[in-house]
Amino acid sequence: MAGELVGTQLTLLSSWKKNKQLGTMKFLFFMFGVIHLLSPSSGKAIYKNGISQRTFQEIQKEVASYEDVAKAIINLAVYGKYQNRSYERLALLVDTVGPRLSGSKNLEKAIQIMYQNLQQDGLENVHLEPVKIPHWERGEESAMMLLPRIHKMAILGLGSSVGTPSGGITAEVLVVTSFDELQRRASEAKGKIVVYNQPYTSYRITVQYRTQGAVEAAKVGAVASLIRSVASFSIYSPHTGVQEYQDGVPKIPTACITVEDAEMMSRMASRGNKIVVHLEMGAKTYPDADSFNTVAEITGSKYPEQVVLVSGHLDSWDVGQGAMDDGGGAFISWEALSLVKDLGLRPKRTLRLVLWTAEEQGGIGASQYYERHKVNVSNYSLVMESDSGTFLPMGLEFTGSDKARAIMKEVMSLLQPLNITDVFSDGEGTDINFWIQAGVPGASLRDDLYKYFSFHHSHGDTMTVMDPKQMNVAAAVWAVVAYVVADMEEMLPRS
């Protein structure tokens, strides 16, 4: 019986290679799946007391059996009928809606559009899960240097910042390069605007000045803070982002300024020039708003209660178009399910797409999703989030047990046709960290972070940054990983 089955599989795969038409591909993959389910091993008990009884060599062999499926996904996404689809879908949304700040009408319009799009795409269990999210608006804002010369500065208020008093704030500037320097010069800070000209080392390290800069400045009596944009490159582009106030510390207005202006004021200060700035910010915070996480699925054929979660966030900041952060990640996640569906594939466990809301405010939508679904944490095999751009991927970032990492290396070997096979560490993401901390393996795309942080949270985050061919490749990687992990007989092992 086994010999006959293998012979039949080879015959079917040979026929598939000779006939590239999509309808035939769907039929053959359906037949391949039927034969796989009827194979002698499918009824074998592979767990004993919750521990897999299979050897790693057997798992390697299982993963290798997906080589032709992976090639079909790659061909369809990168070279075939649906190349550029994720790019075109994204362009239509962001050109129509624009940026999608938490609590804004733009975000809610985008959510309703995506709800309709996912239904029209033929995905299953499309629904909206309600959440409460922050609602902050920047209002009108400006900064004018008055001394040592008149200079209009480009600024972007930081998320959740308070506004200035009516008429604004006019004050002398104190320029520092670090929190340590601020502490050493604390006696000079009272009544001044603190300007941080911290050097950019990496986003993870340097972003603390954006998130904590206002609090640290307020502790030493400053009336406002201006933070050098956390960016790897600048063409006079301010980069916004979230900042965090602290209980018991006065809330002072805070905004980001360009790298160029921060460095210029640092040079002026080093020469002994007195620097005076007039700052006006109309920022306001409103009561939390109603919103939704957007969900769609391909229901699993054998273990429908088990889940591989694929995700990106639909919200953005209120500048640019939110195309890169994180329109690209959201849309290759949608594309992953579309490619699987278009090939007539149905994995053993459920593929679930989640488009998060209010990620930029600290994973607010994802936190509420986790609280709602954490009772089923044992049924999540892998959580995936794309939120570092959809440029040409270098590989997959992964967090999980050593055994799970070894399996993911085998899965990534299926992407050899794209020469993208590396598995890196640190698969965390703002929206999936809740699950990773609970022991669920997590994965993110490894991308060109220098390019990403050149446009991140700025007016430059538009469709012009996006490359359809690179999005095709990113979608193919995402789809292959999601489908294979969802279709393997066992869930990924945990620590």
Side-chain angles (χ1 to χ4, degrees):
M1 178 63 177
E4 292 175 1
L5 287 169
V6 171
T8 304
Q9 290 180 9
L10 292 173
T11 300
L12 287 171
L13 288 172
S14 176
S15 300
W16 170 72
K17 291 177 181 178
K18 294 178 182 178
N19 193 327
K20 299 287 187 179
Q21 294 183 0
L22 186 58
T24 303
M25 288 164 64
K26 289 183 177 180
F27 171 75
L28 292 176
F29 278 125
F30 172 75
M31 291 299 296
F32 184 88
V34 171
I35 291 169
H36 185 69
L37 287 172
L38 292 176
S39 65
S41 64
S42 65
K44 185 172 65 174
I46 58 173
Y47 283 95
K48 184 178 181 181
N49 298 325
I51 301 173
S52 172
Q53 300 300 298
R54 294 200 301 169
T55 65
F56 183 66
Q57 288 71 28
E58 289 174 320
I59 295 173
Q60 281 182 307
K61 188 174 180 180
E62 181 189 13
V63 174
S65 73
Y66 289 99
E67 180 180 357
D68 289 286
V69 179
K71 287 179 179 177
I73 292 172
I74 292 168
N75 287 336
L76 190 60
V78 179
Y79 313 110
K81 179 179 179 181
Y82 295 121
Q83 61 177 301
N84 302 343
R85 179 170 60 180
S86 58
Y87 175 91
E88 291 163 359
R89 284 171 164 175
L90 175 61
L92 179 59
L93 179 80
V94 301
D95 288 345
T96 300
V97 175
R100 304 166 301 282
L101 183 64
S102 175
S104 69
K105 291 181 180 179
N106 278 15
L107 175 58
E108 297 317 304
K109 181 178 180 180
I111 289 171
Q112 293 302 322
I113 289 173
M114 289 307 301
Y115 175 68
Q116 295 170 8
N117 286 343
L118 297 173
Q119 288 180 312
Q120 292 168 3
D121 194 32
L123 297 177
E124 299 159 354
N125 194 23
V126 178
H127 64 282
L128 302 177
E129 297 191 6
V131 294
K132 285 283 189 180
I133 63 174
H135 181 191
W136 171 87
E137 295 179 4
R138 72 175 58 255
E140 295 295 322
E141 54 189 17
S142 64
M144 181 72 73
M145 179 187 290
L146 303 178
L147 289 175
R149 67 179 176 89
I150 301 296
H151 169 59
K152 185 177 181 180
M153 301 167 61
I155 69 166
L156 283 175
L158 294 175
S160 78
S161 175
V162 296
T164 57
S166 178
I169 293 172
T170 301
E172 188 176 345
V173 162
L174 172 66
V175 182
V176 297
T177 59
S178 67
F179 290 141
D180 286 342
E181 183 181 357
L182 178 64
Q183 290 304 312
R184 290 196 305 270
R185 302 178 65 186
S187 61
E188 303 174 51
K190 188 174 178 60
K192 293 182 180 177
I193 297 173
V194 168
V195 170
Y196 292 95
N197 182 39
Q198 76 286 346
Y200 180 85
T201 51
S202 71
Y203 183 77
R204 185 170 293 185
I205 293 173
T206 312
V207 75
Q208 65 180 316
Y209 287 91
R210 191 193 74 204
T211 57
Q212 302 170 32
V215 165
E216 295 304 316
K219 286 178 180 178
V220 292
V223 294
S225 64
L226 298 175
I227 289 88
R228 168 178 165 153
S229 289
V230 185
S232 51
F233 180 76
S234 176
I235 305 179
Y236 203 68
S237 49
H239 296 240
T240 189
V242 73
Q243 65 87 33
E244 300 169 357
Y245 288 125
Q246 191 176 107
D247 290 343
V249 178
K251 295 181 179 180
I252 61 174
T254 182
C256 61
I257 58 175
T258 66
V259 171
E260 292 86 344
D261 280 343
E263 292 186 342
M264 178 181 68
M265 284 190 281
S266 185
R267 292 192 301 271
M268 289 173 169
S270 70
R271 299 183 192 117
N273 296 136
K274 181 178 181 178
I275 306 169
V276 176
V277 167
H278 178 73
L279 178 67
E280 293 193 27
M281 294 175 59
K284 291 183 180 180
T285 297
Y286 298 91
D288 285 356
D290 294 319
S291 189
F292 303 92
N293 291 317
T294 309
V295 183
E297 295 179 343
I298 295 176
T299 307
S301 62
K302 189 174 182 181
Y303 309 114
E305 74 285 357
Q306 297 176 7
V307 175
V308 167
L309 187 149
V310 187
S311 70
H313 66 87
L314 197 56
D315 67 293
S316 72
W317 284 102
D318 55 340
V319 290
Q321 291 182 293
M324 181 193 73
D325 181 22
D326 181 35
F331 275 65
I332 68 160
S333 296
W334 174 17
E335 184 69 11
L337 268 69
S338 288
L339 291 166
V340 170
K341 175 186 65 67
D342 291 336
L343 286 169
L345 300 168
R346 184 174 290 277
K348 294 183 182 70
R349 55 189 58 83
T350 295
L351 264 181
R352 179 174 299 162
L353 167 69
V354 182
L355 305 179
W356 310 108
T357 193
E359 184 276 345
E360 297 293 2
Q361 284 64 42
I364 304 300
S367 172
Q368 293 174 55
Y369 176 92
Y370 176 73
E371 289 302 317
R372 179 178 300 202
H373 295 276
K374 66 182 180 181
V375 66
N376 297 314
V377 68
S378 62
N379 280 331
Y380 282 70
S381 181
L382 177 66
V383 289
M384 302 166 61
E385 178 181 12
S386 174
D387 188 20
S388 296
T390 49
F391 306 117
L392 190 65
M394 292 173 273
L396 192 76
E397 295 177 338
F398 180 78
T399 296
S401 68
D402 290 343
K403 290 181 179 179
R405 176 175 294 276
I407 293 171
M408 292 305 294
K409 288 182 178 179
E410 297 301 313
V411 172
M412 287 300 292
S413 71
L414 298 170
L415 290 152
Q416 183 59 51
L418 295 174
N419 196 29
I420 302 171
T421 59
D422 288 334
V423 178
F424 302 94
S425 59
D426 301 324
E428 292 83 2
T430 298
D431 292 316
I432 60 173
N433 281 347
F434 308 99
W435 298 92
I436 292 173
Q437 290 163 8
V440 180
S444 303
L445 280 178
R446 168 64 69 91
D447 221 320
D448 183 350
L449 291 182
Y450 182 88
K451 186 172 183 180
Y452 180 75
F453 288 116
S454 296
F455 299 100
H456 181 250
H457 295 183
S458 77
H459 287 289
D461 182 358
T462 69
M463 280 305 296
T464 301
V465 178
M466 312 304 287
D467 183 320
K469 296 186 184 303
Q470 293 182 0
M471 282 191 73
N472 293 340
V473 175
V477 172
W478 220 223
V480 168
V481 171
Y483 174 74
V484 173
V485 174
D487 196 58
M488 292 177 64
E489 187 59 34
E490 296 177 29
M491 292 174 62
L492 291 177
R494 304 186 186 184
S495 301

